[in-house]
Amino acid sequence: MSKLSKIVLAFIMVAVLCFCSVACVSSKDSSSSSDASQSTDKSASPASQRKVSLSLATNWGEGDSKFAYFQPKFEEFANANADSMEIQLITYSTEDYKTKIRTQTASGDLPDAFTFWGGPLMKNMVDAGLLLDVDEYFKDSTTVKKDDFDPSSFGYYTAADGKVYGIPIESTRGVFLVNTEIFKKYNLQFPTTYDDLKNVSKVLNENGIIPIAMASNGGQPAEFFFSEIYVQFSGAEEELDKLPSSKKFNTQNALKVAQIIEDMIANNMFPEDTVANGGWGPCLQLYTDQKAAMTYTYPWMFEFIPENIQEISEIIPLPKMPGADIEPSTIMTGFTIYGFLINKASYTDPVKHDAVLKLCDFLASDDLSLSLTNSGMVPAKKIDYGMSKQKLIYQKMMKYAEGKKLVQVHYTKMPTQDSLNMLDTSLDELFIKALSPQEFVDKVQATLE
Amino acid sequence: MLKLSYTFKQKLATAVKYIFLIFVAVTSIYPFIWVVISSLKDNNEIFGNSLGLPMVIRWGNYVEAWKGASVGKSFLNSMFVSTVAVLILCMISSMGSYVLTRFIKSQLLSTYLLLGLLIPLHALLIPSVLIFKALHLQDNLAGLVIIYIAVNIPFSLFIMNGFLRSIPADIDEAARIDGCGKIRVFFSILLPLAKPGIATVATIAFLNCWNDLLLGLVLLSTPGKRTLSVAISVLKGAYMTRYGLLCAGFVISIAPVVLMYILLQKHVIAGMTAGAVKG
Amino acid sequence: MNKKISKYIIPLLFIAPVFLIYTIFLIVPLIITAYYSLNEWNGVSEEIFIGFMNYKKLFANSDYWITFFNTMQLTAISLIIQIGFGLLIAYLLYNKTKGARFFRTVYFLPVVIAPVAIGLMFSLFYNSEIGFFNKILSAIGLKMLQTSWLSNPRTVLYAVMAPQVWQYIGLYVTIFLGALQTVPTELIESAQIDGAGKARTFFQVILSQIRGFINICVILCLTGSLKSFDHSWIITNGGPGVRSAYLGVFMYKMTFINSDFGMGSTITITIVAISLLITALFNNFSVTEERGRRGINA
């Protein structure tokens, strides 16, 4: 054998050896921890004496603004309880996170507690009986009670059977922003009716400014804009509330909204390229670059609005649409956008029960919610947190929100993932004029039949 | 009509050739430059000033990406997994290719082994999790090594077959007559000649392993075991991604691959010239 | 008797590792996927056996055929551009080009970059208001070709295809360069002595020598295109509707967005079946062509 071949062969032998040793060591680690977490061995020593292994999953990874406010609190909790439990924290960013949780579920390894979305996204888990009815948790918990939360905040986690399967942590509000300087420059008043909006748009277009920065890529942010218009019509709010069980998306109101959007496109109120300008980032960018005079967005985007733009932005109600019966200045979309779910099997497992209960108490604690508000989060819990640390635009939003009736959106209320997804892609098509309003409503409804 | 001289035509052709090659080179290198420039911007500049140089240079993106993705650890994880997988892969696929091109020339077997090329990656995710769970190898870097080897087997067999087939069987014969056994023929004669093939396979396989996101995502859970590309993907954030930060992560991730490519290419070209001299 | 067994022992030992690892970790998942395709499963509850219902439902779904056709277009365009340019550029570099090593490294760079970065970059470039492409078009006087590349239903598919097709040309340049190195220089020399010009030498001598590699690259390109996902998903989510979606995107949506694992598995099986069919046809075609050629020469 040539010298080189001998060296290469040696290398490969070493590689195989390393590989085997890592395999043995790692599998010992993981099998011992998986044994502990899956054990329902009733002959084991009393739960309190044995260290329980828990798995917690969150969406708040290193690249997220919440990470800096969650991680220290979590470590504090883990250390304080180190003698009774060992917690493995798994975090990934949104799309990866969904994939991970789905594969874990499919292989039967759902985490003991995990942050997740409600509404259509938790439906399958609810139907399969994987999630704990949180009323049970509230009964057992000594530190967290249902009254600590705004009653409307449970809407997102209420399943079709009327029970609540998740605990809300983050709430949000939809805001329609206007650039006051642009309005001043062209001597325009803030629009309060649809006709106002048309006139304002005409002037803005003549001067090369996009009236409203709104677009649709994967249904974002259009889906929320759609809902914001929808709730102006009478009966709409009730329709949304009943949507999970009625499965009726193609209401008269939905058709009306689609027609309004069609008319808005005809009046050049949106940017020309709605796919490339779609998505939360590109859409907001048009507004912050002052290429657009108005936009509609949500608090999670506030960190991308520069200080100077925050100062000249004002929040106004969406103009009243033709045929609308509800005064837009009395309502505001406000709903729970995120929270956590509890693995029913883990909670009811006598070995793990106490540990899981403590973990849930931590996740639902005032202390944690308070810490998270520092990242610009609107808490679902009723807690006192100072506005002084918040961004200017956030403060404006909370001031505007005072006294407003909060309404849900399609995002939280669509019955199935399939239909939510179809709503998103069909909005893309509606915005590029590839679908008529009737076709749009029909296409989405077809997935609910 | 002017008859252009032969040398003029030649010079023109050469000039056109170089202009074309340089143009392609520029379009090839530009995205890389764009990623580097974007890594020094924040979202506002990436969307608002996508082509220009950053007005505010944010070196902080690199610091944050390094810390956030625990680059020290995840880099080592990726390095370990990728190199072990590639080494074992090269060895067993050249061995397997040797058999397929010299001994068991079954069309059926070849087709069977190439089926894997047709499988989309997403389809492997859940079955792999189930299989590794059954083998008690979940959340284990060794499991990742195995699946990386498996996923790259079809295409490396394919390429090695091509290279080994281009080496005439007479060389085998000559060696056998001289008294070499099958194993000796493989290690001493064929392997050295197939170096370009092995280098090609190694480069592409290493790249596949290094950049893989999905398999690393579903087969591992412990944050400390994350590979580099998974760790960088975590930088994406829940609602919105800070693309400057993400691009910084990409630059950190690409650098070793480019280095590895440059190193391996030197080897390939050395092998080529050696062959030519002997020929 | 002993000789016969011992003749096969070493080959069997040599092929065993690949065979085993491949079968357990690639073929078994494929079988599992085939099993799921015959079931209705949402990834959470128990699966329900429904036979070929998924397949019937799938073939009746017009979205499936749109994505199928999109994928076919991608495959055809990828073949022509990636193989064509890959071969052309490799040949140019092979032909005593100064700085070949530099060019080769640079051409490979795009292959290394994550699709997310390429996707983001092209999304920004395609933007009709602030994007690069429209600006260039007006700069070179082709203003009438300007459009909203991603919002125009007629261009969105091709706009999404472009970055993907372009990104991997460098891969084929690398493979073809390696292939060209296996051509014995004596063959080229003897052809040139016989008076063949550069073009003749290329087509008749070189191409036939690397025929095997061209086949390999064609099949790699084919199978890669049929599995495509990343670029489409990142730039447009396959939208609007399914206008820029491929079979791989459609499968991902079914499996991981709609949680219909049964249907997703069905789509996967159809992808494998289509790939198998096309590659088998291609192999058949190239084998008969090879035999035909040899027949003439023999």
Side-chain angles (χ1 to χ4, degrees), chain A residues 95 98-99 102-103 105-107 124-125 127-128 130 210 217-218 271-277 282 286 291 417-419 421-422 425-426 428-429 432 434 443, chain C residues 41-45 63 123 126-130 147-153 156 233 235-237 239-243 252-259 261:
Chain A
E95 265 205 44
K98 286 182 188 167
T99 307
R102 293 218 166 91
T103 40
T105 317
S107 65
N124 287 333
M125 288 189 272
D127 290 345
L130 293 177
I210 300 169
N217 186 330
E272 202 191 302
D273 193 343
T274 55
V275 176
N277 285 310
L286 288 172
K291 295 199 177 106
Q417 288 163 134
D418 197 359
S419 54
N421 185 39
M422 187 53 83
T425 52
S426 304
D428 288 357
E429 292 187 285
I432 62 165
K443 203 165 179 183
Chain C
W41 190 40
N42 61 8
V44 186
S45 320
D63 277 353
S123 296
Y126 281 135
N127 191 311
S128 67
E129 273 113 24
I130 60 169
T147 182
S148 297
W149 299 95
L150 296 178
S151 292
N152 183 338
V156 64
W233 185 252
I235 301 179
T236 57
N237 274 30
V242 283
R243 281 184 183 68
Y252 178 82
K253 267 197 190 167
M254 278 298 146
T255 311
F256 291 96
I257 306 283
N258 293 353
S259 283
F261 287 88

Side-chain angles (χ1 to χ4, degrees), chain B residues 25-177:
Chain B
V26 168
T27 56
S28 298
I29 211 171
Y30 182 72
F32 186 68
I33 295 180
W34 186 86
V35 172
V36 173
I37 293 181
S38 298
S39 68
L40 298 169
K41 295 179 179 172
D42 68 349
N43 267 12
N44 278 317
E45 277 209 67
I46 291 182
F47 288 115
N49 176 26
S50 52
L51 288 174
L53 288 171
M55 292 194 285
V56 181
I57 302 189
R58 295 170 197 272
W59 296 107
N61 280 346
Y62 279 91
V63 176
E64 222 188 308
W66 188 280
K67 264 204 310 196
S70 304
V71 174
K73 187 122 217 289
S74 47
F75 182 92
L76 285 172
N77 289 339
S78 281
M79 206 32 125
F80 169 74
V81 170
S82 305
T83 34
V84 173
V86 168
L87 281 174
I88 299 181
L89 174 76
C90 286
M91 184 86 268
I92 64 175
S93 56
S94 42
M95 280 161 59
S97 184
Y98 178 50
V99 172
L100 284 175
T101 53
R102 298 287 194 261
F103 303 106
I104 312 178
K105 294 188 201 167
S106 153
Q107 181 73 345
L108 185 64
L109 186 59
S110 296
T111 314
Y112 173 75
L113 286 166
L114 261 32
L115 257 183
L117 265 179
L118 315 172
I119 305 176
L121 194 58
H122 284 107
L124 284 178
L125 295 181
I126 292 174
S128 301
V129 175
L130 291 171
I131 292 176
F132 280 104
K133 191 175 167 190
L135 293 172
H136 290 288
L137 279 175
Q138 70 256 57
D139 199 19
N140 190 332
L141 283 173
L144 203 57
V145 172
I146 300 179
I147 195 80
Y148 282 164
I149 295 175
V151 164
N152 285 299
I153 283 179
F155 107 88
S156 36
L157 274 180
F158 211 26
I159 294 191
M160 284 310 297
N161 281 356
F163 278 92
L164 281 181
R165 271 197 205 114
S166 69
I167 300 174
D170 314 330
I171 297 188
D172 286 42
E173 280 306 307
R176 299 285 286 284
I177 291 174

Side-chain angles (χ1 to χ4, degrees), chain A residues 163-183:
Chain A
K163 303 211 188 108
V164 181
Y165 289 98
I167 300 185
I169 293 188
E170 179 174 2
S171 187
T172 193
R173 308 270 185 277
V175 291
F176 186 64
L177 298 172
V178 294
N179 183 324
T180 54
E181 279 191 8
I182 294 182
F183 271 76

Side-chain angles (χ1 to χ4, degrees), chain A residues 162 190 200 208 247 330 379 382 421:
Chain A
F190 298 153
V200 163
K247 299 210 176 172
T330 59
K382 293 191 265 191
N421 185 39

Side-chain angles (χ1 to χ4, degrees), chain A residues 59 64 69 75 94 179 184 198 216 240 321 358 435:
Chain A
N59 185 22
D64 189 65
Y69 303 103
E75 275 163 20
T94 300
N179 183 324
K184 226 189 284 172
K198 273 201 274 193
S216 184
L240 271 181
M321 295 296 152
K358 275 206 205 127
L435 285 179

